[in-house]
Amino acid sequence: MGVAIGIDLGTTNSAVSVVRPTGLPEVLKNKEGDPITPSVVLFQSFGGPDEPLVGEQAKRQAAAFPEDIVQYVKRFIGDPSWKFESSSGTSYTAEEVSAIILKRLKEDAELALGEEVTDAVITVPAYFDDARRTATRQAGQIAGLNVLRVLNEPTAAALSYGVEADANGTVLVYDLGGGTFDITILKIAGTEFEVVATDGDRNLGGFDFDNELMKHLNEELKKQGAPNAFEDPSLMAALREKAEFAKKALSTVPKTNVQFSAEGKHYRVALTREEFQEVTQSLLNRTEELVADVLDAAKMTWADIDKVLLVGGSTRMPAVRELVERISGKSPELNVNPDEAVTLGAAVQATLEGDVEVSTEQVGSKSTIEGYLGGPVTISDVTSQALGVILFKEDGVTEYNRVMIERNEKVPATAEINVKTAIDRMTAVHVKVTQGDDSDPEMVTIVGEGQLALPPYPKGSPLRVSYSYDVDQTVVVEVFDLTADKSLGTIEIERVANLGEGDLAEFEEKIGGMQIN
Ligand code: AMP
């Protein structure tokens, strides 16, 4: 068996870590020598099959080849309607594009370690639903990785913080990345990490701050006679790059100039931090609302929170720190690197996964990390989405969603209902699994459906249907015969949004054989 790594597969950037023999995790540099790899893929071909370019080199060419570039694919993972067609006419799913990024990360880690990497823990936003978690796991599989676990990003951040600092107490993790926002409250007691509540918005991140700034800059540029950048893919990509650059600059300086060229003319827009904060205020307000919601869900107030961790590149914006200080009355922890906390925690988790044998001198073992921490580590997480099932009302025709496992319940979580067979010799049990709190079936997501064949029981035979979330928050349904007191089997949930076994095998071969640069 090879080495197990931790991967933060981010919307804008990704990073890989491994636990060293000291018991401490460390970020691995990529082949360009950088600790962070932009999650950007440029599809290029040289007359033959596609040879995707991943990372910084790809990102730099975004404006030159806007049609050949894929950015922010994490926003589409688990969405079966999303496809990308490369210039060579090859079509890719979001799982495949993510797999291309993961394959590059795996190969770079192998280069850094001088060993084969076989296993990985990949992090996901706490608020990801079943389809997105499953799709992330599948992307790992397509990339040739044995995915030990998909781990929630805030939990990973808290884990790395707990490893590096004396962190006992109740911790709130405010995680604003490139594309997602997560807010999580955890209790840390020695080597026990218990998530109390989590909430978030998977479409709120630095990307959205860039979008708002792009709109503002575009208006200012038009006033100076520049063409509308939103109508030209190349100009838009260039404007996105300028906007992100200006946003980052304004994290350290109070004003900056944005230079922009279009149709052979040069323009300049002066921009202050205040102006930037004004055009993005509504996004920050949204994070404030979600923080209030998660405190409510945890039945806590700020007085119960001992420490605040800021995670994700977007927490470098001074407005985030000011917001957190204003609402919490506390200064956020300073010894957390917002770009590295998640990947470091993923590496710790990869080492803790029991069945990983560590064959190398370079990598720490489970015993070293537990020794370092002073005991076995336990992590308990909660469900980020309510899990339900579609049932019929008493009229026998109207469907409704019955929540089986509430949001913020500890995982693994199980809930059961007893049912009776409706007719004589009923041949199968059919279940429709949902995610969401509402009782209206229209307002929840159908995760998938499944069927289990039944022996020819008489009408009214008692059955128990058990629904569970495993530690990765993927859904398992099992049916028991209460008369014979035995399990009739597990229902294979055909996930509507995910790839089937056939597609997976095909994509493994397609991506596995690809030259990725
Ligand atoms: P992550 O996914 O955690 O790597 O976050 C990346 C996001 O953080 C991107 O949207 C970046 O534009 C943003 N980001 C990185 N550094 C800064 C900075 N200094 N100021 C503002 N935003 C930043």
Side-chain angles (χ1 to χ4, degrees):
M1 189 176 280
V3 178
I5 54 173
I7 302 177
D8 171 7
L9 181 64
T11 311
T12 46
N13 295 308
S14 297
V16 177
S17 298
V18 75
V19 171
R20 295 295 190 186
T22 52
L24 278 181
E26 189 180 304
V27 178
L28 294 175
K29 297 231 164 81
N30 65 17
K31 67 179 174 192
E32 286 134 355
D34 297 326
I36 276 169
T37 303
S39 309
V40 181
V41 182
L42 174 72
F43 283 89
Q44 46 183 12
S45 77
F46 304 94
D50 286 340
E51 290 183 29
L53 183 64
V54 177
E56 189 58 40
Q57 298 293 332
K59 187 177 175 181
R60 286 205 188 150
Q61 297 185 56
F65 302 100
E67 315 285 342
D68 300 320
I69 209 101
V70 182
Q71 301 195 70
Y72 320 108
V73 69
K74 188 168 171 177
R75 290 213 154 176
F76 309 108
I77 194 136
D79 173 359
S81 65
W82 189 90
K83 292 268 181 312
F84 175 79
E85 184 146 343
S86 72
S87 306
S88 75
T90 315
S91 171
Y92 297 90
T93 62
E95 288 86 340
E96 288 176 281
V97 177
S98 304
I100 288 170
I101 299 168
L102 287 167
K103 188 162 182 258
R104 160 80 199 268
L105 298 174
K106 173 181 185 286
E107 288 171 2
D108 281 10
E110 286 171 342
L111 200 67
L113 291 165
E115 294 232 25
E116 195 195 354
V117 168
T118 48
D119 301 75
V121 166
I122 305 176
T123 58
V124 290
Y127 211 62
F128 255 23
D129 61 13
D130 177 85
R132 291 175 179 84
R133 285 168 196 274
T134 304
T136 303
R137 184 177 269 286
Q138 290 181 331
Q141 189 182 333
I142 296 168
L145 287 164
N146 173 36
V147 181
L148 298 167
R149 193 72 197 259
V150 286
L151 178 68
N152 286 340
E153 286 160 12
T155 310
L159 195 52
S160 72
Y161 173 67
V163 169
E164 305 222 10
D166 177 18
N168 282 346
T170 304
V171 175
L172 183 140
V173 184
Y174 178 109
D175 180 357
L176 188 61
T180 55
F181 175 63
D182 266 351
I183 188 89
T184 296
I185 297 175
L186 295 104
K187 285 187 180 160
I188 306 179
T191 54
E192 284 173 30
F193 296 76
E194 184 195 350
V195 177
V196 183
T198 188
D199 207 334
D201 184 337
R202 63 187 150 69
N203 284 319
L204 176 57
F207 175 74
D208 302 283
F209 286 75
D210 299 344
N211 285 345
E212 293 305 319
L213 184 54
M214 282 166 73
K215 284 189 221 155
H216 170 77
L217 292 174
N218 192 44
E219 289 309 312
E220 295 300 310
L221 288 163
K222 281 198 308 193
K223 281 185 204 157
Q224 295 180 26
N228 184 352
F230 285 83
E231 284 171 3
D232 177 319
S234 245
L235 287 182
M236 193 157 140
L239 187 62
R240 177 168 296 288
E241 203 177 304
K242 299 282 181 187
E244 193 194 3
F245 194 81
K247 171 188 77 173
K248 287 186 183 171
L250 291 174
S251 291
T252 42
V253 294
K255 47 187 158 186
T256 186
N257 275 315
V258 180
Q259 314 273 357
F260 194 72
S261 305
E263 296 172 344
K265 293 210 183 93
H266 301 291
Y267 304 90
R268 195 168 77 170
V269 180
L271 187 67
T272 64
R273 189 182 288 164
E274 282 72 28
E275 283 169 314
F276 170 66
Q277 290 177 353
E278 212 167 285
V279 297
T280 53
Q281 189 60 45
S282 61
L283 299 171
L284 270 191
N285 293 348
R286 170 95 182 111
T287 72
E288 186 176 346
E289 284 165 24
L290 287 164
V291 172
D293 288 351
V294 87
L295 281 166
D296 267 358
K299 300 188 180 60
M300 286 183 183
T301 67
W302 281 110
D304 301 306
I305 305 294
D306 299 309
K307 284 172 184 135
V308 182
L309 308 191
L310 297 182
V311 177
S314 299
T315 60
R316 289 215 158 86
M317 291 185 289
V320 168
R321 175 173 292 265
E322 284 158 22
L323 170 87
V324 170
E325 284 182 357
R326 176 173 59 76
I327 59 177
S328 70
K330 298 171 208 295
S331 304
E333 287 302 297
L334 291 175
N335 55 350
V336 178
N337 180 328
D339 301 320
E340 296 184 350
V342 171
T343 172
L344 293 171
V348 172
Q349 179 68 44
T351 307
L352 291 172
E353 290 292 326
D355 54 350
V356 182
E357 266 177 42
V358 183
S359 65
T360 164
E361 276 293 293
Q362 283 178 290
V363 182
S365 68
K366 187 176 169 179
S367 59
T368 57
I369 194 152
E370 293 196 335
Y372 182 84
L373 284 164
V377 178
T378 57
I379 301 168
S380 75
D381 224 319
V382 295
T383 58
S384 58
Q385 313 271 329
L387 174 67
V389 57
I390 300 289
L391 295 176
F392 284 108
K393 289 195 175 157
E394 276 174 14
D395 65 10
V397 280
T398 321
E399 289 188 329
Y400 73 103
N401 176 51
R402 159 138 176 214
V403 171
M404 302 291 300
I405 297 172
E406 302 277 350
R407 210 147 72 79
N408 287 323
E409 236 176 80
K410 268 204 171 92
V411 281
T414 304
E416 298 170 334
I417 43 169
N418 292 344
V419 292
K420 290 197 164 93
T421 50
I423 49 171
D424 255 336
R425 308 179 71 78
M426 193 168 125
T427 52
V429 191
H430 187 94
V431 295
K432 246 189 219 176
V433 177
T434 63
Q435 278 187 334
D437 301 297
D438 214 285
S439 62
D440 180 352
E442 296 286 317
M443 301 301 287
V444 294
T445 312
I446 304 288
V447 175
E449 297 183 36
Q451 193 150 301
L452 185 74
L454 288 180
Y457 290 135
K459 179 177 172 182
S461 302
L463 300 176
R464 173 171 296 155
V465 187
S466 133
Y467 301 84
S468 47
Y469 263 127
D470 65 14
V471 282
D472 287 344
Q473 296 190 42
T474 44
V475 180
V476 183
V477 182
E478 194 171 2
V479 180
F480 297 89
D481 172 348
L482 289 181
T483 316
D485 197 21
K486 64 169 191 196
S487 168
L488 294 174
T490 305
I491 297 184
E492 189 75 28
I493 298 293
E494 189 76 32
R495 288 181 163 78
V496 282
N498 293 115
L499 303 174
E501 285 302 319
D503 286 335
L504 263 180
E506 181 193 324
F507 295 161
E508 266 177 67
E509 206 177 313
K510 174 171 156 196
I511 306 298
M514 220 167 207
Q515 168 70 35
I516 293 172
N517 297 300

